[in-house]
Amino acid sequence: MGQDENAGEGRQVREGRPADEGRHVRVAVIGSGFGGLGAAVRLRREGITDFVVLERAASVGGAWRDNSYPGCACDVPSHLYSFSFAPNPDWPRTFSGQRHIRAYLEHVADTFGIRPHLRLDHEVRLMRWDNDALRWRIETARATFTADVIVCATGPLSDPKIPDLPGLAGFPGRVFHSANWDHGYDLRGKRVAVIGTGASAIQIVPSIQPAVARLTLFQRTPPWVMPRADRTISAVERGLHRALPFTADLRRGLLRAMRELQIQAFTKRPGELGLVEYLARANMARAVKDPALRAKLTPDYRIGCKRILLSNSYYPALARPNVDVVASGLAEVRGATLVAADGTRAEADAIVFGTGFHVTDAPVVDRVVGADGTTLAEAWKGGAESLRGATAAGFPNWMTILGPNTGLGNSSMILMIEAQLNYMADYLRQLDGLGGRRRGRDDGTRVALAPRPEAVRVWNQRVQRRMARTVWNTGGCTSWYFDANGRNTTVWPGTTSEFRRATGEVDLGEYEVIRAAAPAGPATGAKAAVR
């Protein structure tokens, strides 16, 4: 296909195709970040081409498209934060920035032929399971689809979270979240308040500090910050990786192995993290000479309880004369005056929220309606639970990429994504075998798989037992890993190798097999039977 044809294909997909209305596909993938594109590539490699990728935005990239704030970069080394099946020998830095990661994802979409499957500007409004037809009915902003299987890859960092603060609506200045950066607003010479001290805030603060008149950081909880071993990857290194790809594989393998060794301290022996705390304190002391400021910035919880942040410029920026650190969260807005919980006041022209995302309460769960008419949000009101981070009881042929308890505290989420792609691939193979389906032909009995509630319960009890001794649960902090019920439903309490083994293949003993009474055509109402 030539360049002009590709351009036309892109326009046609962007504008929506009339033929899409009511179209049935084998698989519908929701989202086009790392998880969604990874799923799409794996489907094609499995020989499945009857699928669409439904994306609410106008381009691919997920969190790396949305988060374009100043200083945005990854805190995982570049060669580990990329797909094993799509190595990039030309990463410019050991820790790459947002622009290069987004370009990498665009490259993946092009290289693996994903563009024709993309449906951009197709925000999913509803996913409802049809018990008779044994398929999902999907409503987007631009069309309706049906699908045998849904792979939900919306990701945990897709919906920004802004606290409901008294008086915020009356603030006369500019307000935006780090994931919705207002590039049209010039911060130079302004009084800027940054709310939060997470991974985004520690990149934003040093990036804007030299330009603003006054920067006030509202810090509810100080983070532990370690030096960032970032550098330019030399032309010699890049050339070596291009000429001898195994050298890039070796580099990736070493990076992964180092993090696999580290995870033991996080999950089994949190007491061993004392040396890391000492190094973090020394890092702070080098940049912050004021004892009062150091006291504000010193955490009172075990390092690792919250994600350890990496920066060489955060502490120096906080020590600058035009920066104030308020050791309290923002509680109220009175006109242009911001009032902290401890009563401290600050005037501001702009408020930048670095307050994270809806992780344990993602809005997408309100849009998924299962076999008994219950939404996923209702099913998970006591806490999100899935089988092996992928499938949910009562929701046949629906699976997540990066579902409950698949997050990591110190390594690359791409490793977890690829493990779940293995599970997805075997899930589809099992469906094909059970239904007598031949690749590319829908001439078998329609079949669905639904995880048994007991299997989901056993898996999650095992996860929570292991979680009980981890630093995330015992470290003395309150983090976004915990849901409203006080359960850590976010992090995986083990190594990525363990997770890969646990998701290598589908155990049919953990599933109910649901069969249609007869092959279901577009308008049939075959009664489903469970056996």
Side-chain angles (χ1 to χ4, degrees):
M1 182 178 287
Q3 185 175 2
D4 292 341
E5 291 174 298
N6 269 320
E9 177 73 22
R11 286 192 298 271
Q12 190 179 34
V13 170
R14 174 81 179 270
E15 293 164 5
R17 297 172 174 154
D20 275 344
E21 180 59 37
R23 178 184 169 188
H24 179 74
V25 293
R26 175 72 167 133
V27 182
V29 178
I30 317 299
S32 68
F34 268 100
L37 291 180
V41 172
R42 186 57 182 268
L43 288 172
R44 288 187 60 89
R45 297 179 79 179
E46 290 289 316
I48 299 172
T49 57
D50 182 17
F51 70 89
V52 291
V53 180
L54 303 175
E55 168 56 54
R56 68 182 178 184
S59 61
V60 303
W64 294 104
R65 173 199 59 234
D66 298 339
N67 288 268
S68 59
Y69 58 80
C72 182
C74 191
D75 60 359
V76 173
S78 303
H79 285 85
L80 194 58
Y81 199 78
S82 49
F83 291 121
S84 63
F85 55 79
N88 178 17
D90 291 314
W91 287 116
R93 303 193 65 83
T94 51
F95 290 87
S96 290
Q98 175 264 347
R99 178 169 63 90
H100 295 104
I101 297 173
R102 183 178 180 185
Y104 170 78
L105 289 170
E106 295 279 1
H107 173 75
V108 168
D110 290 331
T111 301
F112 292 92
I114 307 305
R115 298 287 179 189
H117 301 278
L118 289 172
R119 299 297 180 267
L120 305 175
D121 296 317
H122 275 64
E123 181 174 12
V124 173
R125 294 174 174 171
L126 183 66
M127 294 167 268
R128 182 183 294 275
W129 176 251
D130 186 329
N131 284 312
D132 292 329
L134 295 192
R135 58 178 46 164
W136 284 93
R137 301 194 179 278
I138 306 165
E139 298 177 15
T140 79
R142 305 187 66 167
T144 60
F145 299 82
T146 59
D148 293 340
V149 177
I150 287 179
V151 177
C152 188
T154 52
L157 307 181
S158 56
D159 293 285
K161 188 173 187 178
I162 293 180
D164 184 15
L165 294 169
L168 181 60
F171 180 69
R174 197 65 61 94
V175 179
F176 49 91
H177 190 277
S178 58
N180 295 309
W181 194 268
D182 188 346
H183 291 280
Y185 182 70
D186 190 355
L187 292 176
R188 287 178 297 182
K190 302 293 196 306
R191 299 168 299 177
V192 180
V194 176
I195 317 302
T197 54
S200 299
I202 73 156
Q203 295 178 344
I204 292 169
V205 167
S207 298
I208 67 173
Q209 174 270 320
V212 303
R214 195 89 205 159
L215 192 154
T216 304
L217 177 67
F218 285 82
Q219 170 194 269
R220 188 172 57 182
T221 307
W224 286 104
V225 182
M226 293 287 286
R228 183 183 182 89
D230 188 26
R231 64 172 178 82
T232 300
I233 297 178
S234 69
V236 172
E237 291 173 274
R238 296 197 299 272
L240 180 65
H241 294 332
R242 282 194 301 272
L244 301 172
F246 78 87
T247 62
D249 293 340
L250 178 60
R251 184 175 193 157
R252 176 185 174 88
L254 289 173
L255 289 168
R256 178 178 181 176
M258 290 170 59
R259 279 154 179 76
E260 293 289 81
L261 292 173
Q262 294 170 0
I263 198 65
Q264 299 300 319
F266 287 81
T267 59
K268 296 179 180 179
R269 297 182 291 274
E272 294 181 358
L273 293 166
L275 175 60
V276 185
E277 274 187 21
Y278 173 80
L279 296 174
R281 291 177 189 274
N283 179 50
M284 183 195 307
R286 282 192 294 269
V288 181
K289 304 303 181 184
D290 179 5
L293 180 56
R294 279 205 307 273
K296 287 182 180 182
L297 299 177
T298 301
D300 61 358
Y301 56 87
R302 172 67 75 187
I303 194 168
C305 185
K306 292 174 178 280
R307 189 174 181 101
I308 301 173
L309 305 181
L310 305 178
S311 178
N312 299 325
S313 55
Y314 179 64
Y315 285 143
L318 296 184
R320 301 299 299 167
N322 67 329
V323 176
D324 296 312
V325 177
V326 178
S328 180
L330 179 61
E332 185 182 357
V333 180
R334 300 175 186 171
T337 302
L338 310 188
V339 184
D342 66 357
T344 303
R345 300 188 179 198
E347 301 294 312
D349 302 305
I351 301 175
V352 177
F353 284 99
T355 44
F357 299 84
H358 290 277
V359 175
T360 60
D361 59 343
V364 70
V365 299
D366 291 304
R367 305 174 190 180
V368 187
V369 182
D372 64 355
T374 299
T375 67
L376 191 57
E378 293 167 335
W380 282 356
K381 63 183 178 182
E385 290 189 340
S386 65
L387 178 59
R388 302 180 188 273
T391 56
F395 297 82
N397 285 9
W398 188 91
M399 61 194 321
T400 56
I401 303 296
L402 299 185
N405 290 113
T406 60
L408 296 176
N410 78 315
S411 191
S412 172
M413 291 303 299
I414 312 306
L415 301 174
M416 302 296 278
I417 289 173
E418 290 198 29
Q420 292 203 291
L421 297 183
N422 291 339
Y423 196 77
M424 176 197 75
D426 195 52
Y427 189 99
L428 292 169
R429 291 188 209 110
Q430 297 287 353
L431 285 175
D432 285 350
L434 291 165
R437 177 190 295 268
R438 287 179 288 173
R439 187 70 72 198
R441 293 184 59 183
D442 189 9
D443 55 359
T445 302
R446 194 168 298 281
V447 173
L449 289 173
R452 298 179 183 276
E454 176 66 11
V456 176
R457 185 183 66 82
V458 168
W459 172 260
N460 282 276
Q461 284 180 343
R462 188 186 311 159
V463 168
Q464 291 302 322
R465 280 197 301 270
R466 294 186 62 181
M467 191 72 71
R469 62 181 179 180
T470 67
V471 70
W472 306 300
N473 279 34
T474 64
C477 70
T478 300
S479 73
W480 55 269
Y481 299 154
F482 291 84
D483 63 17
N485 302 299
R487 291 177 65 238
N488 188 332
T489 58
T490 304
V491 184
W492 167 246
T495 65
T496 60
S497 297
E498 288 176 302
F499 188 77
R500 190 179 187 92
R501 289 192 295 270
T503 55
E505 60 183 22
V506 170
D507 178 0
L508 284 180
E510 296 180 327
Y511 285 87
E512 296 175 319
V513 180
I514 308 171
R515 299 179 184 276
T524 62
K527 185 177 181 180
V530 180
R531 77 173 202 186

